[in-house]
Amino acid sequence: GPRARGTSLWAAGLLLFLRRRIDPYGFERPEDFDYAAYEEFFSAYLVVLTRRAIKWSKLLKGGGGVQKSMTVKRYIRKGIPLEHRARVWMGVSGAQAQMDQNPGYYQRLLEGERDDRLEEAIRTDMNRTFPDNVKFRKGADPCLQRTLYNVLLAYGHHNRDVGYCQGMNFVAGYLILMTDSEEESFWLLDALVGSILPGTSAPLGASLRLLSGVPETVQPTSQG
C-alpha cells in the first residue's frame, strides 16, 4: 500500500545519505570516516528502523497531538524516527501547548526593546556554533546563523533571569536542525530550560555545557 511504498522510499533515501560526505543533519563526516563499515551496519539495522518507522506512522496518523501513554513512552525509549522527532518532542515536552496558547508571542519578543549586552553576547558565539555543519556557515543558503540568533534573542528577552549563556547556542542549534522552525525551536528551548533544567544562569550554564559538549573550562557568559 501507499504506507509501505513511502517507507521503502524512506529506506532508500537513508542508504543514499549513508554514502554522502554530509550527514542528514548537515555535519561533515571526517576524512577517515569508514563508509563501508557504516553502510554494512545500517544495512542490517535498516530492518529494525523500517519496522519502527511503520509503527510510529500508525501511532501518529491523523495529524492530531501526541498523547502521552505507556506505548508512546516505550516507542520513545527505542528511538524516534527523524521525520517524526519535532512533532513528538513538541507534544511530550508541552512546547506545542505553550505555542498554541501564546500566538504571536515569539514575534513580539523579537520586536521588543533592544539589549545591547545580550545581542553582543549572542553574536560572539554565532561563528563558534557547529563549525563543521554546512548549514551554519555564512556562505550557506539559507544560513541558519540568523535563525539561531533570533531564537536566542527571543529567549533572552523571554527569560531575563537566564538571558544567554555559553552552551545554549549548541542546544538551540540542534533544536533548529530537528524542527526546521524558529518558533518551535524557541518553545522547545523554553521547555528544556524552564522545566527540564530550571535554575539560575550559573548552574544552567554548567548543565548546557554538559549537554552540548562544551569543555568545562569554558566560562559561561550570562545576561540578566
Side-chain angles (χ1 to χ4, degrees):
R3 184 179 291 119
R5 287 195 297 273
T7 303
S8 296
L9 289 173
W10 167 81
L14 180 59
L15 282 175
L16 286 175
F17 264 122
L18 298 180
R19 303 185 183 108
R20 293 180 57 179
R21 185 177 61 87
I22 308 297
D23 76 8
Y25 302 97
F27 291 97
E28 288 183 316
R29 294 190 167 113
E31 294 291 335
D32 60 350
F33 188 80
D34 192 339
Y35 290 91
Y38 193 57
E39 187 169 336
E40 180 181 359
F41 165 75
F42 261 99
S43 295
Y45 192 43
L46 196 56
V47 176
V48 176
L49 292 178
T50 303
R51 183 170 63 247
R52 194 171 294 163
I54 292 173
K55 288 183 176 181
W56 273 103
S57 295
K58 290 179 179 178
L59 181 70
L60 299 174
K61 68 180 179 181
V66 180
Q67 302 299 321
K68 293 183 180 180
S69 67
M70 291 304 297
T71 298
V72 169
K73 187 174 184 179
R74 186 173 72 253
Y75 281 18
I76 289 174
R77 285 178 171 175
K78 291 182 178 180
I80 308 170
L82 177 59
E83 65 269 28
H84 300 308
R85 204 164 291 172
R87 180 180 169 189
V88 174
W89 284 3
M90 288 291 290
V92 300
S93 68
Q96 185 67 54
Q98 287 296 312
M99 188 171 76
D100 293 344
Q101 293 165 16
N102 296 278
Y105 179 66
Y106 175 72
Q107 194 59 41
R108 291 195 298 273
L109 288 171
L110 292 178
E111 298 168 355
E113 184 179 349
R114 292 195 56 175
D115 183 332
D116 291 338
R117 290 182 60 215
L118 173 65
E119 293 180 28
E120 180 59 29
I122 294 171
R123 286 196 192 97
T124 299
D125 279 348
M126 285 298 97
N127 288 328
R128 302 173 182 173
T129 306
F130 298 137
D132 56 344
N133 189 297
V134 297
K135 298 180 180 182
F136 282 94
R137 291 176 183 167
K138 284 187 176 180
D141 184 23
C143 176
L144 292 183
Q145 283 195 13
R146 185 65 195 182
T147 302
L148 175 62
Y149 176 84
N150 286 345
V151 171
L152 295 173
L153 180 65
Y155 191 78
H157 288 159
H158 168 70
N159 188 343
R160 295 185 181 275
D161 288 337
V162 172
Y164 172 73
C165 59
Q166 228 170 32
M168 193 182 289
N169 55 319
F170 290 99
V171 177
Y174 183 70
L175 295 176
I176 290 167
L177 290 173
M178 292 297 103
T179 65
D180 196 28
S181 166
E182 277 190 31
E183 189 172 8
E184 288 184 3
S185 297
F186 164 78
W187 286 111
L188 279 171
L189 183 63
D190 182 51
L192 176 65
V193 176
S195 302
I196 302 172
L197 292 174
T200 59
S201 58
L204 175 61
S207 298
L208 289 172
R209 287 199 304 274
L210 180 63
L211 282 176
S212 61
V214 178
E216 190 65 31
T217 54
V218 177
Q219 295 300 314
T221 301
S222 60
Q223 296 289 330

